[in-house]
């Protein structure tokens, strides 16, 4: 699968749950791989920094970083260098996630950096206006997620459908090449279908799958109505 | 080697140089291992987050994180969870490096978190006063590094010896169990000897070794006068 | 009154409530002045940055900044320069308030800066350990406030008395010249008395007074049992 | 003068120079007022937070904040509340200055907040891409300033004219109602004329005037070729 071309895409953000740490990160990614293989849906995973190379070594589906810093190689202790992420196996990165917001100038800098390395950029945004702003920076994807719905179990497609349609409209006006994802509260096949019906080309999700009793089954349900 | 007990200790911070990224991180760590084996000196390495598990799988010497975030498991996209670092092979972490400074409350929170997991804490500080403050937080080590000397090639032991002796004195007064390292500009055996003569129980270093033509030889020289 | 010498001291942090903004900041400060005059208790006020010069022009009691940045004069748009605060009428400043936490190195830098200008430093801390660390930096005061109790209406002196006594003990061990205040949830005369009985030389408070129906009466009650 | 309608506009950012602090801030603003009166050019001033109310009380020209925080009234010690700025006399604010960069989400939040209060927003940006992104957020102005030229004495209009023309083009495509300013290194009438010729509707400047031997004369020269 190509991270960029094959939509709809499902990106599973592993965040920093114990349920998606270390050995369990590898297992979760393997479950994603299995569902992708069975269903033909493009599923990408974004494990924690220190799990990334192990996960990338264990699965064939695209692996992404959760964050990359706006730096060039040098003295930046504790930061994530794009080249290091790439060599570890990352084919793209989330940028500006609601739990890791970035300065406007740094969002732009990271998009440019990863573009140079032919990596895929997914900029997370919190409302229609910031989605429009992000689209002007020409990333590959924007993923709009109203922060108050993240981890809530209430899907954005139901609670605030106008955020999804408004984001799609705003992006298409500014830069039709940018693809729009949505996230926050998404966990079921109905949620994913609703997101698609609103114009989203995929979804970004996390706890709805990670904390499910059976993540593989939850993923299968998620992609069942595409 | 035990990261904590066997001093003098040399901690090599890989920072985010290309010379210490990916495959080259593994090679550099292997060179450190070789010098540690040959000389019996306790050498620890702190690779980039995404290189950590590979490096930890390749060498026997202690591996440390460059940074851990003050979080508990949960929704913290892009952050470094202590449990993830531990499972990836980190036996300790740098905290509050001059290139990754932290809030006072977060320095304390990370020291407590890693102590719970039986990992070693090395708090970096910038002068005698902040060294004293860090010592009050009861980490395993403080590593004082005047920021203006980092990467300068001018060793702290020569340029500001009073920072090293002042730090040793301040720490011993507040908490004699805390060990004192020093860093900034250190690269040769003379620098290391001078640091030891001033009371430091080890050194934290980076570019002086990483960017050397022959890092292994540079390391051998570094530990030659202990 | 001298901000530093005359204890017990009551510091009222105006925060950014509308009830303590602009004209209402001047009125609130005047009420504080009246209570200070009537009771002889040392009451200081910390208004918002943009209200500070007006408040300082309107009252005789000590006026403090809520925050000063760790900068020297120059190009630092949007920051608070110590010299500007001093000329506007500030005789001291809060540092590292729980709602405006600072890097360890910056806490130290601001303490040093305001000491040079003969201004009073009050470092806010969140637990016994950070209080000990702050004391090592030799400010005039530390003010310990468990963040979970701030604005809760539950006084620290009742909910976590061991934080107050532990802070007093820790500070006295490290630097007996540093005075200890406590805060969080404090609003009545009983709370203030309890804080004093636990060893605190004063209190830092905010919403309990600012949002009271009659702030002047609330203040009178606060200082009634000293 | 209306901050928004009367262009070309000159905005003088006082930053945190001693030369533009306290009494000298009032004097500098008065010099700006004099030049505005004599020449009919719209000159606005952005003093430090703690000088703002004094300056606003002393001059008739528009006064702006250097920064406003993305908060609503409440417990936000040390932050700048929009309502407080307004009551202190600010008719608008700089947002995201290169020396006080903000999170993308916060840039949007502050633009929305000040719009509600009928205050003028001037978003500072560092290159063509971030200018385009800022324009999508619908502020009143964007002010593009390549950071490496700030305080350099080398005018952006000469060193990187394509940044100015590129910014004007990008903004007009996304939102033609947004006005474009430019800054960095601007101090003379020739610089201002060149900026105007490149399509900018005004300039943002600081040290070139503030540190001039005779700021009033420097300002007169600046606006002499409009």
């Amino acid at each position: 699968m190509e991270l960029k071309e094959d939509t709809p895409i499902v990106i599973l953000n592993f965040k920093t749950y114990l349920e998606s740490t270390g050995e369990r990160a590898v297992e979760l990614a393997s479950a994603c791989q299995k569902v992708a293989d069975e269903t033909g849906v493009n599923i990408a995973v974004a494990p924690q920094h220190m799990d990334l190379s192990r996960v990338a070594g264990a699965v064939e589906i695209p692996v992404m970083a959760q964050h990359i810093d706006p730096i060039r190689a040098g003295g930046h202790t504790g930061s994530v260098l794009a080249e290091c992420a790439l060599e570890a196996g990352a084919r793209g990165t989330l940028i500006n996630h609601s739990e890791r917001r970035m300065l406007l100038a740094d969002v732009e800098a990271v998009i440019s950096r990863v573009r140079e390395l032919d990596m895929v950029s997914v900029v997370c945004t919190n409302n229609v206006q910031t989605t429009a702003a992000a689209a002007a920076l020409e990333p590959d994807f924007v993923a709009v997620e109203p922060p108050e719905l993240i981890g809530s179990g209430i899907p954005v497609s139901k609670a605030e459908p106008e955020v999804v349609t408004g984001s799609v409209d705003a992006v298409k006006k500014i830069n039709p090449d940018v693809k729009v994802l949505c996230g926050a509260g998404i966990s079921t096949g109905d949620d994913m279908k609703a997101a698609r019906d609103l114009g989203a080309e995929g979804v970004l999700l996390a706890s709805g799958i990670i904390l499910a009793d059976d993540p593989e089954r939850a993923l299968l349900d998620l992609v069942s109505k595409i």
Side-chain angles (χ1 to χ4, degrees), chain A:
Chain A
M1 288 284 174
E2 285 306 312
L3 188 44
K4 204 157 135 189
E5 282 75 28
D6 298 307
T7 54
I9 187 168
V10 172
I11 302 177
L12 185 62
N13 176 4
F14 284 20
K15 297 193 171 181
T16 52
Y17 291 103
L18 288 179
E19 289 80 359
S20 50
T21 290
E23 188 54 37
R24 300 171 82 174
V26 174
E27 286 163 19
L28 184 58
S30 300
C32 292
Q33 163 100 52
K34 210 170 142 196
V35 175
D37 287 348
E38 281 175 25
T39 63
V41 175
N42 192 5
I43 301 177
V45 292
Q48 291 171 67
H49 302 327
M50 291 186 185
D51 288 332
L52 194 140
S53 67
R54 262 179 91 186
V55 168
V59 296
E60 299 293 318
I61 55 176
V63 175
M64 306 182 67
Q66 290 182 12
H67 170 77
I68 282 179
D69 282 294
I71 56 162
R72 300 223 160 245
H76 303 286
T77 301
S79 290
V80 180
L81 180 69
E83 286 86 346
C84 186
L86 181 64
E87 189 170 342
R91 288 155 71 176
T93 187
L94 301 181
I95 296 171
N96 194 47
H97 188 276
S98 162
E99 293 156 7
R100 189 68 144 103
R101 290 202 179 147
M102 294 174 76
L103 302 179
L104 168 58
D106 288 346
V107 173
E108 191 275 322
V110 174
I111 293 172
S112 297
R113 284 255 47 212
V114 304
R115 188 188 295 128
E116 287 168 13
L117 298 175
D118 220 14
M119 295 168 77
V120 171
S121 52
V122 180
V123 179
C124 301
T125 55
N126 58 313
N127 60 26
V128 176
Q129 295 95 309
T130 53
T131 301
L137 299 173
E138 309 187 358
D140 296 302
F141 293 93
V142 291
V144 65
E145 299 191 294
E148 67 279 11
L149 298 177
I150 293 178
S152 70
I154 305 167
V156 60
S157 44
K158 185 173 276 179
E160 306 189 23
E162 71 284 1
V163 169
V164 182
T165 53
S167 291
V168 171
D169 288 351
V171 167
K172 294 312 163 196
K173 231 174 272 174
I174 285 177
N175 189 337
D177 293 341
V178 176
K179 296 187 172 73
V180 180
L181 311 178
C182 69
I186 292 197
S187 60
T188 71
D190 286 336
D191 300 344
M192 172 103 188
K193 185 178 183 313
R196 296 272 293 152
D197 290 345
L198 295 168
E201 299 186 63
V203 296
L204 175 59
L205 71 177
S207 59
I209 301 297
I210 295 169
L211 304 181
D213 287 337
D214 182 342
E216 187 180 325
R217 196 143 99 189
L219 266 173
L220 271 173
D221 178 58
L222 180 85
V223 302
S224 62
K225 306 199 173 167
I226 294 177

